Amino acid sequence: MDSALITSDAVTFGLLMAILAGIFITSHSDNAKWQKFYKFVPSLLLCYFLPSLLTTFGVVSEADSNLYYIASRYLLPASLVLLTLSIDLKGILNLGPKAVIMFLAGTFSIMLGGPIAILIVGTISPEIIGATGPDEVWRGLATVAGSWIGGGANQTAMLEIYEPSTDLFGAMVTVDIIVANIWMAFLLYGAGISDKVDTWFKADASAITELKNKIADYQSNIARVPTLVDFSKIAAVAFVLTALGHLAGDSIAPWIDANAPALADLSLNSSFFWIIVVATTGGLILSFTKVRDLEGAGASKIGSLFLYILVMTIGMKMNIASMLDAPGYFVIGAVWILIHVTILLLVGKFIKAPFFFVAVGSQANVGGAASAPIVASAFHPALAPVGVLLAVLGYALGTYGAWLSAEMMRIVSGF
């Protein structure tokens, strides 16, 4: 796909950083028009949406770019380290069980959503699901279930188990990315109006507010003018732990593949899984040490910048025009995600869960460790680790949940 206007990653990255700077400048402007604009459009949503327009209109080529890989493998773990340095682990635990309940509701709704979507779309347009052999639609949708409950490793597991054709899998990857990213855009918007949603849910978000205020107070109390030494320490902590994560992933994942293949069902053979686990765990451990004081020099701000860059590269992955290539599959994906959303909102309303738990519980399933902290940080940077912890749980459940969903889709496809 060299038809894009810009094919160089260096030029593309420069363009993304220029857009990011423009969003930051305008979102913090004193101009009344900009203030009114960002009252309705969250800056994080723009960071996600504008790069998608670059891909859609052929300005940049996501297919030939390594920017997402670099951001997800290097900047994401570094960001998680820096965002967890000042975390109040006790405060997170005090958030209570509703976060886990909403996460499990998200998992359950995705498991059921696939078969129900096939029944609904198959009844209206039987030709969409009428293929046979490796082109049977349920086989491709099994890989979407793996991605939406766990992540890339779980998706790969479903690919190997059900063996959809190459063309079908390619179409399903597109459905996965587009539908999931559109839903993520809604969640980012929802973060900006979470107070209104909480009022509708009659939810008590005081524990979340208390945690945010506690972190903000801590940050203001230890804030200082950072020095070059501070920045070098921040960079060292972030990227040394990232390096340890890669070392663990490059060592443990192949060993599990060779010696304990049964553990692959828990995604323990995924190097990305170990990168995320080591980075998050390392950051949490350091939060109990004096390294925590690096927050006073702006550690979480640098971590947030890394996360924003990741958002830009994720946005590049969404080519809105590609929805026209397989409209029937996108209809299934849209119905599926609507079922997921409906069940989540009903459960959230019933247990009076703050919208934060609804959003993060959903994204920990659908987006995994790469984007769950993004949605969590849209509420407050200090809450990013909540998204990571739930996403790691998704890795563990992903293969089992996706397998059950796939078998249900296989059964209903036969009717």
Side-chain angles (χ1 to χ4, degrees), residues 59 148 286 321 330 361 367 408 412-413:
V59 178
W148 283 3
L286 290 179
F330 278 101
M408 288 189 284
V412 300
S413 294

Side-chain angles (χ1 to χ4, degrees), residues 24 59 74 191 275:
F24 279 163
V59 178
Y74 301 108
I275 293 170

Side-chain angles (χ1 to χ4, degrees), residues 350-365:
F350 179 73
I351 68 172
K352 298 180 180 179
F355 182 66
F356 170 74
F357 293 148
V358 177
V360 176
S362 172
Q363 197 61 26
N365 279 287

Side-chain angles (χ1 to χ4, degrees), residues 158-389:
M158 293 301 101
L159 174 64
E160 294 176 357
I161 292 172
Y162 293 108
E163 299 180 332
S165 68
T166 302
D167 289 343
L168 178 60
F169 178 63
M172 291 303 171
V173 168
T174 306
V175 171
D176 171 14
I177 292 172
I178 299 294
V179 175
N181 286 355
I182 289 175
W183 172 231
M184 180 178 166
F186 278 103
L187 291 178
L188 293 177
Y189 176 76
I193 58 169
S194 58
D195 290 343
K196 294 181 181 178
V197 182
D198 288 343
T199 300
W200 180 68
F201 277 177
K202 297 180 181 178
D204 179 11
S206 59
I208 298 171
T209 304
E210 182 182 343
L211 178 61
K212 290 191 292 187
N213 293 339
K214 193 173 180 181
I215 294 293
D217 290 342
Y218 172 75
Q219 290 172 337
S220 62
N221 288 336
I222 64 172
R224 63 181 186 272
V225 178
T227 65
L228 183 59
V229 174
D230 288 325
F231 286 136
S232 65
K233 288 179 181 178
I234 291 171
V237 168
F239 290 107
V240 166
L241 280 175
T242 298
L244 291 176
H246 278 268
L247 188 63
D250 293 342
S251 304
I252 299 174
W255 185 91
I256 288 175
D257 258 336
N259 299 283
L263 295 179
D265 290 341
L266 297 173
S267 298
L268 299 184
N269 63 333
S270 165
S271 60
F272 185 63
F273 171 86
W274 290 107
I275 293 170
I276 298 303
V277 167
V278 170
T280 306
T281 305
L284 288 173
I285 292 172
L286 290 179
S287 71
F288 293 98
T289 71
K290 287 187 176 181
V291 177
R292 176 184 175 90
D293 292 339
L294 286 175
E295 175 56 32
S300 66
K301 290 183 175 63
I302 296 175
S304 295
L305 175 61
F306 290 166
L307 208 55
Y308 271 93
I309 294 173
L310 174 65
V311 174
M312 303 287 283
T313 63
I314 291 176
M316 279 178 58
K317 294 169 69 69
M318 188 171 76
N319 185 338
I320 300 171
S322 63
M323 295 177 65
L324 301 175
D325 295 338
Y329 298 154
F330 278 101
V331 171
I332 296 176
V335 172
W336 193 346
I337 207 74
L338 284 174
I339 294 168
H340 166 68
V341 173
T342 302
I343 293 177
L344 271 181
L345 293 178
L346 289 174
V347 173
K349 175 76 171 174
F350 179 73
I351 68 172
K352 298 180 180 179
F355 182 66
F356 170 74
F357 293 148
V358 177
V360 176
S362 172
Q363 197 61 26
N365 279 287
V366 178
S371 57
I374 292 170
V375 170
S377 68
F379 292 83
H380 192 279
L383 299 174
V386 179
V388 180
L389 295 175

Side-chain angles (χ1 to χ4, degrees), residues 92-144:
I92 288 181
L93 296 177
N94 287 340
L95 292 176
K98 290 183 179 179
V100 176
I101 292 173
M102 291 312 306
F103 168 81
L104 293 176
T107 302
F108 180 73
S109 62
I110 291 170
M111 288 172 58
L112 283 183
I116 295 174
I118 285 181
L119 281 175
I120 293 173
V121 176
T123 300
I124 298 172
S125 300
E127 67 278 3
I128 294 177
I129 61 170
T132 58
D135 288 317
E136 288 177 294
V137 172
W138 69 267
R139 296 180 187 272
L141 292 174
T143 66
V144 177

Side-chain angles (χ1 to χ4, degrees), residues 55-87:
T55 301
T56 301
F57 292 106
V59 178
V60 301
S61 173
E62 187 279 326
D64 299 323
S65 174
N66 289 315
L67 291 179
Y68 171 74
Y69 180 85
I70 293 171
S72 62
R73 267 42 175 199
Y74 301 108
L75 297 185
L76 173 60
S79 171
L80 295 177
V81 171
L82 298 178
L83 290 172
T84 51
L85 278 183
S86 62
I87 194 62

